[in-house]
Amino acid sequence: MPHLGLICPELSGHLNPMTTLGGELKRRGYRVSLIARPDARVKTESAGLEFLSVGERDFPAGSMASTTAQLGQLGGLSAIRFTAELLRRAAVTILEDAPGVIAGARIDALLVDQVTSAGDTVAEMLGLPFVTVCNALALNPDPAIPPAVTPWRYRRGWIWRVRNAFGDAVF
C-alpha cells in the first residue's frame, strides 16, 4: 500500500481530525506519517501514526504553548497580524524542511490541511499527488465575501469587494 503523508498545523482543531483521518487510512492498510513541527509528536504517536518532524530548530517542543498564549492576549488587527506572521513562518518551515523529509520517507501522496498552504507547493515541487483537507471553516477566497477570519460585515459594492480581495491577499 502507498505511504501517505499528512500535513497540518500543530493545533488540536487541525490535529484531531487529521489524525482521525490518518487512523482510518492506516486501518485500511496504508502507511501514514504526519509531517509537522515537534509539538505534534505526542498527539500523532498516540494516534498510532508515524511522525516526521520539521522545524525543530525554530520551533522546539513546547513552543506552541507560548505562541498560543501570546495570541490569546491580542485582539483585532494585532491578532490578525500575529496570525498572518505565524502562517508565514509555518509556510517557510514547510518549504525549507518538508521536501527532504518527504523524499527521505518515500511518501507517495500528501493530504494537506488547507491552512498549511505551503504543503501543496511542496507536493508540486516533488511531483506528488495531493488533496486539500478542510479541517475547519473552508477558506475559499471570494472578493464578494469578507474573509472568514475577519469581523467584517457583508456589504455590496465595489469598494467592499476591493476590501475583501485585499483581506484575502493578506491571508
Side-chain angles (χ1 to χ4, degrees):
M1 279 292 209
H3 184 183
L4 303 177
L6 313 177
I7 301 178
C8 73
E10 303 76 23
L11 299 166
S12 295
H14 298 273
L15 275 174
N16 288 341
M18 193 65 98
T19 55
T20 300
L21 175 59
E24 179 59 22
L25 291 167
K26 183 179 175 184
R27 188 187 71 75
R28 293 179 184 207
Y30 293 92
R31 180 177 171 200
V32 181
S33 298
L34 187 120
I35 301 123
R37 296 180 290 193
D39 281 331
R41 178 181 298 276
V42 171
K43 176 69 179 170
T44 302
E45 291 176 348
S46 69
L49 305 177
E50 295 177 38
F51 181 73
L52 301 173
S53 186
V54 295
E56 292 176 2
R57 186 185 76 246
D58 295 329
F59 301 95
S63 63
M64 203 61 179
S66 62
T67 300
T68 54
Q70 188 177 354
L71 178 57
Q73 299 299 313
L74 301 175
L77 193 54
S78 296
I80 291 172
R81 273 191 233 139
F82 188 84
T83 301
E85 177 61 13
L86 287 178
L87 293 172
R88 186 198 67 77
R89 290 178 63 209
V92 168
T93 297
I94 294 293
L95 291 170
E96 288 178 349
D97 294 359
V101 168
I102 291 166
R106 302 181 141 210
I107 289 175
D108 299 301
L110 293 172
L111 288 79
V112 181
D113 187 294
Q114 68 176 344
V115 175
T116 312
S117 58
D120 55 357
T121 302
V122 169
E124 290 180 2
M125 288 168 52
L126 297 173
L128 296 175
F130 72 93
V131 295
T132 301
V133 178
C134 297
N135 287 323
L137 182 63
L139 299 174
N140 300 320
D142 181 343
I145 303 167
V149 296
T150 65
W152 300 341
R153 293 177 148 193
Y154 171 78
R155 294 200 167 106
R156 292 178 188 221
W158 70 269
I159 191 74
W160 307 114
R161 291 177 69 84
V162 169
R163 174 203 64 182
N164 298 340
F166 175 74
D168 287 332
V170 168
F171 292 109

Short mmCIF file of all heavy atoms in Angstrom, two decimals, residues 126-160:
data_model
loop_
_atom_site.label_atom_id
_atom_site.label_comp_id
_atom_site.label_asym_id
_atom_site.label_seq_id
_atom_site.Cartn_x
_atom_site.Cartn_y
_atom_site.Cartn_z
N LEU A 126 7.71 18.18 -5.58
CA LEU A 126 8.17 16.79 -5.58
C LEU A 126 7.44 15.92 -6.59
O LEU A 126 7.75 14.73 -6.72
CB LEU A 126 8.00 16.20 -4.17
CG LEU A 126 8.83 16.87 -3.06
CD1 LEU A 126 8.43 16.31 -1.70
CD2 LEU A 126 10.31 16.69 -3.33
N GLY A 127 6.47 16.49 -7.30
CA GLY A 127 5.71 15.73 -8.28
C GLY A 127 4.79 14.70 -7.65
O GLY A 127 4.51 13.66 -8.26
N LEU A 128 4.30 15.00 -6.44
CA LEU A 128 3.41 14.07 -5.73
C LEU A 128 1.96 14.49 -5.87
O LEU A 128 1.65 15.69 -5.84
CB LEU A 128 3.75 14.04 -4.24
CG LEU A 128 5.13 13.50 -3.85
CD1 LEU A 128 5.34 13.65 -2.36
CD2 LEU A 128 5.27 12.06 -4.28
N PRO A 129 1.05 13.52 -5.95
CA PRO A 129 -0.37 13.88 -5.91
C PRO A 129 -0.72 14.35 -4.49
O PRO A 129 -0.08 13.93 -3.52
CB PRO A 129 -1.08 12.58 -6.25
CG PRO A 129 -0.10 11.50 -5.96
CD PRO A 129 1.27 12.10 -6.11
N PHE A 130 -1.71 15.24 -4.39
CA PHE A 130 -2.14 15.71 -3.08
C PHE A 130 -3.62 16.06 -3.12
O PHE A 130 -4.19 16.30 -4.19
CB PHE A 130 -1.33 16.94 -2.63
CG PHE A 130 -1.65 18.20 -3.39
CD1 PHE A 130 -2.60 19.10 -2.91
CD2 PHE A 130 -1.00 18.49 -4.57
CE1 PHE A 130 -2.90 20.26 -3.61
CE2 PHE A 130 -1.29 19.64 -5.29
CZ PHE A 130 -2.25 20.53 -4.80
N VAL A 131 -4.22 16.05 -1.95
CA VAL A 131 -5.58 16.54 -1.78
C VAL A 131 -5.56 17.55 -0.65
O VAL A 131 -4.74 17.48 0.27
CB VAL A 131 -6.61 15.42 -1.47
CG1 VAL A 131 -6.73 14.46 -2.63
CG2 VAL A 131 -6.25 14.69 -0.20
N THR A 132 -6.47 18.51 -0.73
CA THR A 132 -6.61 19.51 0.33
C THR A 132 -7.71 19.05 1.27
O THR A 132 -8.79 18.67 0.83
CB THR A 132 -6.97 20.88 -0.27
OG1 THR A 132 -5.93 21.27 -1.17
CG2 THR A 132 -7.13 21.93 0.81
N VAL A 133 -7.41 19.08 2.56
CA VAL A 133 -8.37 18.67 3.59
C VAL A 133 -8.80 19.92 4.36
O VAL A 133 -7.96 20.70 4.80
CB VAL A 133 -7.72 17.65 4.56
CG1 VAL A 133 -8.69 17.24 5.65
CG2 VAL A 133 -7.22 16.43 3.79
N CYS A 134 -10.11 20.10 4.50
CA CYS A 134 -10.65 21.24 5.25
C CYS A 134 -11.05 20.77 6.64
O CYS A 134 -12.11 20.18 6.82
CB CYS A 134 -11.85 21.85 4.52
SG CYS A 134 -11.43 22.54 2.92
N ASN A 135 -10.16 21.01 7.61
CA ASN A 135 -10.42 20.61 8.99
C ASN A 135 -11.09 21.72 9.78
O ASN A 135 -11.26 21.60 10.99
CB ASN A 135 -9.10 20.23 9.68
CG ASN A 135 -8.60 18.90 9.18
OD1 ASN A 135 -9.36 18.00 8.92
ND2 ASN A 135 -7.29 18.77 9.04
N ALA A 136 -11.42 22.80 9.14
CA ALA A 136 -12.05 23.94 9.80
C ALA A 136 -12.94 24.61 8.75
O ALA A 136 -13.16 24.07 7.68
CB ALA A 136 -10.99 24.89 10.32
N LEU A 137 -13.37 25.80 9.05
CA LEU A 137 -14.17 26.58 8.12
C LEU A 137 -13.42 26.71 6.80
O LEU A 137 -12.23 27.05 6.79
CB LEU A 137 -14.43 27.96 8.72
CG LEU A 137 -15.28 28.93 7.93
CD1 LEU A 137 -16.70 28.38 7.78
CD2 LEU A 137 -15.31 30.27 8.64
N ALA A 138 -14.07 26.39 5.70
CA ALA A 138 -13.42 26.48 4.40
C ALA A 138 -12.94 27.90 4.14
O ALA A 138 -13.66 28.86 4.36
CB ALA A 138 -14.38 26.04 3.30
N LEU A 139 -11.71 28.01 3.69
CA LEU A 139 -11.11 29.32 3.43
C LEU A 139 -10.98 29.56 1.94
O LEU A 139 -9.90 29.68 1.41
CB LEU A 139 -9.73 29.40 4.10
CG LEU A 139 -9.70 29.23 5.61
CD1 LEU A 139 -8.27 29.18 6.11
CD2 LEU A 139 -10.47 30.35 6.28
N ASN A 140 -12.09 29.58 1.26
CA ASN A 140 -12.09 29.79 -0.17
C ASN A 140 -12.24 31.28 -0.47
O ASN A 140 -13.32 31.84 -0.28
CB ASN A 140 -13.22 29.00 -0.83
CG ASN A 140 -13.08 27.52 -0.56
OD1 ASN A 140 -11.98 26.99 -0.59
ND2 ASN A 140 -14.18 26.86 -0.29
N PRO A 141 -11.17 31.92 -0.91
CA PRO A 141 -11.24 33.37 -1.14
C PRO A 141 -12.25 33.73 -2.23
O PRO A 141 -12.28 33.11 -3.29
CB PRO A 141 -9.83 33.74 -1.58
CG PRO A 141 -9.00 32.53 -1.49
CD PRO A 141 -9.87 31.36 -1.22
N ASP A 142 -13.06 34.71 -1.94
CA ASP A 142 -14.05 35.21 -2.90
C ASP A 142 -14.21 36.69 -2.59
O ASP A 142 -14.63 37.05 -1.48
CB ASP A 142 -15.37 34.47 -2.71
CG ASP A 142 -16.45 34.93 -3.68
OD1 ASP A 142 -16.32 36.02 -4.27
OD2 ASP A 142 -17.44 34.20 -3.82
N PRO A 143 -13.89 37.57 -3.54
CA PRO A 143 -13.97 39.01 -3.25
C PRO A 143 -15.39 39.50 -2.91
O PRO A 143 -15.54 40.58 -2.34
CB PRO A 143 -13.46 39.68 -4.52
CG PRO A 143 -13.47 38.64 -5.57
CD PRO A 143 -13.42 37.30 -4.89
N ALA A 144 -16.40 38.70 -3.18
CA ALA A 144 -17.76 39.11 -2.83
C ALA A 144 -18.06 38.89 -1.35
O ALA A 144 -19.02 39.43 -0.82
CB ALA A 144 -18.77 38.34 -3.68
N ILE A 145 -17.19 38.12 -0.67
CA ILE A 145 -17.45 37.74 0.72
C ILE A 145 -16.24 38.11 1.57
O ILE A 145 -15.10 37.79 1.21
CB ILE A 145 -17.70 36.22 0.81
CG1 ILE A 145 -18.87 35.83 -0.09
CG2 ILE A 145 -17.95 35.79 2.24
CD1 ILE A 145 -18.99 34.33 -0.30
N PRO A 146 -16.46 38.72 2.74
CA PRO A 146 -15.31 39.03 3.61
C PRO A 146 -14.59 37.75 4.05
O PRO A 146 -15.24 36.71 4.24
CB PRO A 146 -15.96 39.70 4.83
CG PRO A 146 -17.29 40.17 4.36
CD PRO A 146 -17.72 39.20 3.30
N PRO A 147 -13.28 37.82 4.22
CA PRO A 147 -12.55 36.64 4.72
C PRO A 147 -13.15 36.16 6.04
O PRO A 147 -13.50 36.97 6.91
CB PRO A 147 -11.12 37.16 4.91
CG PRO A 147 -11.02 38.35 4.00
CD PRO A 147 -12.39 38.95 3.97
N ALA A 148 -13.23 34.86 6.21
CA ALA A 148 -13.90 34.27 7.38
C ALA A 148 -13.26 34.67 8.70
O ALA A 148 -13.93 34.70 9.72
CB ALA A 148 -13.91 32.75 7.24
N VAL A 149 -11.98 35.00 8.69
CA VAL A 149 -11.29 35.30 9.94
C VAL A 149 -11.35 36.78 10.33
O VAL A 149 -10.72 37.18 11.29
CB VAL A 149 -9.81 34.84 9.87
CG1 VAL A 149 -9.72 33.34 9.73
CG2 VAL A 149 -9.09 35.54 8.71
N THR A 150 -12.12 37.56 9.59
CA THR A 150 -12.26 38.98 9.92
C THR A 150 -13.65 39.24 10.50
O THR A 150 -14.59 38.48 10.26
CB THR A 150 -12.09 39.87 8.67
OG1 THR A 150 -13.16 39.61 7.75
CG2 THR A 150 -10.75 39.63 7.99
N PRO A 151 -13.78 40.34 11.24
CA PRO A 151 -15.11 40.70 11.77
C PRO A 151 -15.93 41.54 10.78
O PRO A 151 -16.97 42.07 11.14
CB PRO A 151 -14.75 41.53 13.02
CG PRO A 151 -13.45 42.18 12.66
CD PRO A 151 -12.72 41.16 11.80
N TRP A 152 -15.48 41.63 9.54
CA TRP A 152 -16.13 42.48 8.57
C TRP A 152 -17.52 41.97 8.21
O TRP A 152 -17.72 40.77 8.02
CB TRP A 152 -15.30 42.57 7.29
CG TRP A 152 -13.92 43.13 7.50
CD1 TRP A 152 -13.49 43.88 8.57
CD2 TRP A 152 -12.80 42.97 6.64
NE1 TRP A 152 -12.17 44.20 8.40
CE2 TRP A 152 -11.71 43.66 7.24
CE3 TRP A 152 -12.61 42.33 5.44
CZ2 TRP A 152 -10.47 43.72 6.64
CZ3 TRP A 152 -11.37 42.38 4.85
CH2 TRP A 152 -10.31 43.07 5.44
N ARG A 153 -18.44 42.90 8.07
CA ARG A 153 -19.80 42.57 7.64
C ARG A 153 -19.85 42.45 6.12
O ARG A 153 -19.10 43.10 5.41
CB ARG A 153 -20.79 43.65 8.07
CG ARG A 153 -20.97 43.75 9.54
CD ARG A 153 -21.90 44.88 9.83
NE ARG A 153 -22.64 44.54 11.03
CZ ARG A 153 -23.70 45.17 11.43
NH1 ARG A 153 -24.17 46.19 10.74
NH2 ARG A 153 -24.30 44.82 12.53
N TYR A 154 -20.79 41.65 5.67
CA TYR A 154 -21.02 41.55 4.24
C TYR A 154 -21.65 42.84 3.75
O TYR A 154 -22.59 43.36 4.36
CB TYR A 154 -21.95 40.38 3.93
CG TYR A 154 -22.40 40.34 2.48
CD1 TYR A 154 -21.55 39.86 1.50
CD2 TYR A 154 -23.64 40.84 2.11
CE1 TYR A 154 -21.93 39.85 0.18
CE2 TYR A 154 -24.04 40.84 0.78
CZ TYR A 154 -23.18 40.34 -0.18
OH TYR A 154 -23.55 40.34 -1.49
N ARG A 155 -21.12 43.38 2.69
CA ARG A 155 -21.69 44.58 2.08
C ARG A 155 -21.51 44.47 0.57
O ARG A 155 -20.54 43.89 0.10
CB ARG A 155 -20.98 45.83 2.59
CG ARG A 155 -21.22 46.08 4.07
CD ARG A 155 -20.94 47.54 4.40
NE ARG A 155 -21.44 47.86 5.71
CZ ARG A 155 -20.68 48.02 6.78
NH1 ARG A 155 -19.39 47.88 6.69
NH2 ARG A 155 -21.22 48.34 7.93
N ARG A 156 -22.46 45.06 -0.14
CA ARG A 156 -22.39 45.06 -1.61
C ARG A 156 -21.69 46.33 -2.09
O ARG A 156 -21.75 47.36 -1.45
CB ARG A 156 -23.79 45.02 -2.21
CG ARG A 156 -24.49 43.73 -1.96
CD ARG A 156 -25.88 43.77 -2.54
NE ARG A 156 -26.60 42.58 -2.12
CZ ARG A 156 -27.39 41.90 -2.89
NH1 ARG A 156 -27.60 42.28 -4.12
NH2 ARG A 156 -27.99 40.83 -2.43
N GLY A 157 -21.06 46.21 -3.24
CA GLY A 157 -20.40 47.37 -3.85
C GLY A 157 -18.94 47.10 -4.12
O GLY A 157 -18.30 46.26 -3.48
N TRP A 158 -18.41 47.84 -5.06
CA TRP A 158 -17.04 47.60 -5.50
C TRP A 158 -16.02 47.88 -4.40
O TRP A 158 -15.02 47.19 -4.29
CB TRP A 158 -16.72 48.38 -6.77
CG TRP A 158 -16.64 49.87 -6.56
CD1 TRP A 158 -17.64 50.78 -6.66
CD2 TRP A 158 -15.47 50.60 -6.19
NE1 TRP A 158 -17.18 52.03 -6.38
CE2 TRP A 158 -15.84 51.95 -6.09
CE3 TRP A 158 -14.15 50.26 -5.94
CZ2 TRP A 158 -14.95 52.95 -5.74
CZ3 TRP A 158 -13.25 51.26 -5.59
CH2 TRP A 158 -13.66 52.59 -5.50
N ILE A 159 -16.26 48.90 -3.57
CA ILE A 159 -15.30 49.23 -2.52
C ILE A 159 -15.16 48.07 -1.53
O ILE A 159 -14.07 47.77 -1.04
CB ILE A 159 -15.67 50.55 -1.80
CG1 ILE A 159 -14.52 51.01 -0.89
CG2 ILE A 159 -16.92 50.40 -0.97
CD1 ILE A 159 -13.35 51.57 -1.62
N TRP A 160 -16.27 47.39 -1.26
CA TRP A 160 -16.24 46.27 -0.32
C TRP A 160 -15.57 45.05 -0.95
O TRP A 160 -14.90 44.28 -0.27
CB TRP A 160 -17.65 45.95 0.18
CG TRP A 160 -18.28 47.20 0.74
CD1 TRP A 160 -19.35 47.86 0.23
CD2 TRP A 160 -17.84 47.95 1.87
NE1 TRP A 160 -19.62 48.98 0.97
CE2 TRP A 160 -18.70 49.05 2.00
CE3 TRP A 160 -16.81 47.81 2.78
CZ2 TRP A 160 -18.56 50.01 3.00
CZ3 TRP A 160 -16.67 48.75 3.79
CH2 TRP A 160 -17.53 49.83 3.89
#
